[in-house]
Amino acid sequence: MDELKRKKRNLWMFPLGTLGRDMLYCLFTNFLLTYVMFTRSLTAAQLSAITAIMVAARVFDALNDPVMGNIIERTRSRFGKFKPWLAIGIACSGVVVYLAFNSTLQGWSFIAFFGAIYFLYSLAYTMHDISYWGVVAALSSDADARNQFTSRATLFAGIGGTLASMLIPMFTTGEMAIGGSAAVAYGRIALIICILAPLFLCFTIFGAQENRSDMVEKAPPISFKKIVSTITGNDQLLWIAFIFLIQQIGNGLTLAGIGSTYIYLDFGYSGGLYSLFSTVGVMATAFLMIFYPAISRKIQRKKLMRIMMVISLCGYAVMLAAGLLLPVNMVKFWAITMGYMASNFGQYSFYLIMMISIINTVEYNEYKHGERDEAIIASLRPFLTKLASAFIVALTSLSYIVFGVTSYTNQISALESAASTGTITEAEKLASIGEVLSTVQPGQTMGLFLCMTILPCALMLISHILYQKHYHLDEPEYDRICAELAKRKEAQA
């Protein structure tokens, strides 16, 4: 198969694989804490234990990513170095996520179960996530082609994540909850997603064709020293890693729990409202997912970041004005939602730019040290995403404790439990939840609102300043490095 045909094939087979993966990721990462909060009665000690487990597991997961990247880098099989781990990882992830949302345990026995499940998920998801994004560097070394692979993969990832963000709250909360309760609904949705995820990843496993020229040599032994030297020896990788971490912490605060809880407490216990907020909020990013390659050919990354920073600042300003000045009604809801759409448009552009910036350090590493180390470098993205999620969990749980959220979610959880056992009807459950929410104090919802607006805006601004000052692999410099590498290969031929 010639290069053009392989590229066209890969442009479909590679991105299709992540659609189900990101539904799985969205379910577990964005909704597990919400599921726990609204289906379990938790003491402050139990919520603190869950927080500690999630933070510890995500830090462990993050530290494990470079190790997994090193293992993948040294894998030699007839199926390549990435695809075996794609298959093993997605199968294990499906089993673990299904179990996570289909448990009837309560109290400290649930906490112990939660801890085991969370660490198992960390191991399983790492296997296929690093493998998936590591494939990008092996599909092509052409900068424009990488932009296309990355943007299209993020398009399908966005479709999967958006579908999950839209449908999960709609069918787990309020009048449309499957089975009449959140516990039953989450269990059934988990089953569907855990079947879809491996089916979609088959497109990548059986359809995408990567370059395997680096597998002709015998793999060196797995070395922790190699991991450390690859990361610390690449100054541009270190800077973009730090910048990406800051941006991801801010970007994840809204949809990782605080946003849904704020919507429920301020506007009512309706999954449809949060579905609207999350769906409309990410709607504008579809434009970037489709047109980013064309935009990147006309506007250089640093200039594009400045433009997107202005758009995001305007979006956050609209959110703050609506949240601080308007009474609780649908006008306020839509103003906050539209402001979030503008702010998220800029945030997502930052994400795409930093994704490419991380991948481009592969050639910089080869330029400096003579080795590409694709899988190790690719492992930094999930490493940073998971490390950021640990901070997000800690900040989210802290906000719940500070603003007394559990005093309301425990009452809702008891009503959900009663509805799932048939003790009360669904209508009685919803009426009682409405009474619970009527007692929420304005200061509590305002505290959550400020956490999901001020913090993301500040962290995005910091990441922008650092990128402009310290990341030097812009388009001209990257092209110069690639040209130099080509000369070296010609000289060696």
Side-chain angles (χ1 to χ4, degrees):
M1 182 180 294
D2 63 45
E3 189 64 28
L4 181 60
K5 287 184 178 179
R6 184 168 67 177
K7 178 184 173 182
K8 289 181 177 179
R9 178 188 177 94
N10 287 342
L11 277 172
W12 286 105
M13 294 296 110
F14 172 67
L16 272 170
T18 200
L19 199 152
R21 274 183 2 102
D22 277 84
M23 294 178 73
L24 191 77
Y25 177 82
C26 181
L27 170 64
F28 195 89
T29 303
N30 292 353
F31 289 97
L32 182 61
L33 186 57
T34 302
Y35 161 75
V36 172
M37 294 288 290
F38 288 96
T39 61
R40 302 293 190 278
S41 293
L42 301 172
T43 64
Q46 289 169 343
L47 178 58
S48 298
I50 285 175
T51 302
I53 289 168
M54 294 176 75
V55 171
R58 293 187 186 194
V59 171
F60 163 79
D61 193 11
L63 294 173
N64 183 49
D65 281 352
V67 177
M68 192 68 226
N70 194 254
I71 293 171
I72 294 168
E73 191 67 53
R74 279 139 183 80
T75 297
R76 298 293 184 268
S77 79
R78 61 188 291 254
F79 304 106
K81 61 185 178 184
F82 298 109
K83 292 183 179 180
W85 295 106
L86 284 173
I88 296 169
I90 196 64
C92 293
S93 294
V95 172
V96 170
V97 172
Y98 173 78
L99 293 174
F101 288 92
N102 284 276
S103 166
T104 58
L105 296 173
Q106 295 282 349
W108 285 105
S109 58
F110 171 74
I111 304 302
F113 168 80
F114 182 90
I117 283 292
Y118 214 93
F119 274 90
L120 287 172
Y121 171 82
S122 298
L123 290 170
Y125 195 86
T126 296
M127 293 179 189
H128 63 86
D129 194 43
I130 292 175
S131 302
Y132 184 82
W133 292 107
V135 170
V136 174
L139 293 176
S140 177
S141 59
D142 177 69
D144 185 59
R146 283 186 182 176
N147 283 338
Q148 292 181 60
F149 288 129
T150 303
S151 61
R152 188 168 292 190
T154 54
L155 169 63
F156 281 87
I159 292 171
T162 300
L163 283 173
S165 296
M166 178 178 64
L167 297 176
I168 290 171
M170 186 181 298
F171 291 112
T172 58
T173 308
E175 297 179 354
M176 296 178 66
I178 298 172
S181 75
V184 173
Y186 273 109
R188 293 181 184 175
I189 287 173
L191 174 62
I192 294 170
I193 292 177
C194 290
I195 292 172
L196 289 176
L199 289 178
F200 274 104
L201 198 55
C202 285
F203 285 105
T204 301
I205 294 172
F206 297 109
Q209 295 184 342
E210 76 272 30
N211 178 13
R212 299 180 183 176
S213 60
D214 62 337
M215 292 183 59
V216 296
E217 300 177 0
K218 183 180 178 181
I222 295 169
S223 168
F224 185 74
K225 182 179 179 181
K226 173 63 177 174
I227 298 171
V228 174
S229 65
T230 298
I231 296 170
T232 59
N234 190 325
D235 61 295
Q236 291 300 284
L237 181 60
L238 284 173
W239 270 115
I240 192 60
F242 179 61
I243 295 165
F244 185 72
L245 175 64
I246 293 172
Q247 189 265 342
Q248 282 293 286
I249 293 171
N251 189 39
L253 279 171
T254 303
L255 292 185
I258 294 180
S260 60
T261 304
Y262 165 72
I263 295 295
Y264 295 152
L265 295 187
D266 208 18
F267 296 100
Y269 192 67
S270 172
L273 277 181
Y274 182 63
S275 292
L276 277 175
F277 174 77
S278 59
T279 304
V280 174
V282 301
M283 191 177 294
T285 63
F287 174 85
L288 283 174
M289 295 174 192
I290 297 170
F291 295 107
Y292 179 77
I295 294 171
S296 66
R297 285 192 289 268
K298 295 184 178 297
I299 306 175
Q300 293 192 354
R301 287 189 292 273
K302 288 190 174 182
K303 182 179 179 182
L304 181 60
M305 286 187 79
R306 287 193 290 269
I307 295 170
M308 292 301 173
M309 188 71 240
V310 172
I311 292 173
S312 276
L313 287 174
C314 292
Y316 284 120
V318 170
M319 290 181 73
L320 282 168
L324 295 173
L325 301 176
L326 296 178
V328 178
N329 54 34
M330 289 305 295
V331 174
K332 177 180 179 179
F333 171 82
W334 279 110
I336 290 174
T337 300
M338 298 307 292
Y340 176 64
M341 181 175 70
S343 66
N344 194 52
F345 184 71
Q347 289 274 20
Y348 192 78
S349 177
F350 272 44
Y351 173 77
L352 284 175
I353 290 169
M354 291 184 195
M355 282 274 290
I356 297 297
S357 298
I358 291 173
I359 294 171
N360 284 353
T361 63
V362 170
E363 281 70 31
Y364 182 70
N365 198 70
E366 185 179 8
Y367 175 74
K368 286 191 69 177
H369 305 294
E371 296 179 313
R372 292 173 65 80
D373 293 320
E374 296 158 334
I376 295 175
I377 291 174
S379 72
L380 262 291
R381 187 209 57 82
F383 166 85
L384 296 164
T385 301
K386 292 164 187 174
L387 190 58
S389 70
F391 284 100
I392 291 167
V393 167
L395 290 170
T396 300
S397 296
L398 180 62
S399 70
Y400 289 167
I401 293 171
V402 169
F403 300 113
V405 171
T406 53
S407 62
Y408 305 106
T409 57
N410 282 346
Q411 295 179 66
I412 294 172
S413 173
L415 292 167
E416 287 281 9
S417 178
S420 66
T421 58
T423 306
I424 60 174
T425 65
E426 185 178 0
E428 290 172 332
K429 178 196 78 172
L430 293 174
S432 298
I433 289 175
E435 293 175 5
V436 171
L437 295 179
S438 68
T439 64
V440 178
Q441 299 301 307
Q444 293 172 301
T445 53
M446 182 56 64
L448 292 175
F449 175 74
L450 292 177
C451 286
M452 66 184 240
T453 51
I454 297 293
L455 278 177
C457 183
L459 292 173
M460 183 182 185
L461 185 59
I462 292 170
S463 69
H464 173 255
I465 293 170
L466 291 175
Y467 188 92
Q468 297 289 342
K469 184 175 181 180
H470 294 289
Y471 188 77
H472 305 309
L473 294 179
D474 55 13
E475 287 81 351
E477 177 63 7
Y478 177 76
D479 290 342
R480 185 191 70 78
I481 288 172
C482 287
E484 176 61 28
L485 290 174
K487 289 179 183 178
R488 291 181 188 178
K489 290 177 183 177
E490 288 178 7
Q492 293 171 358

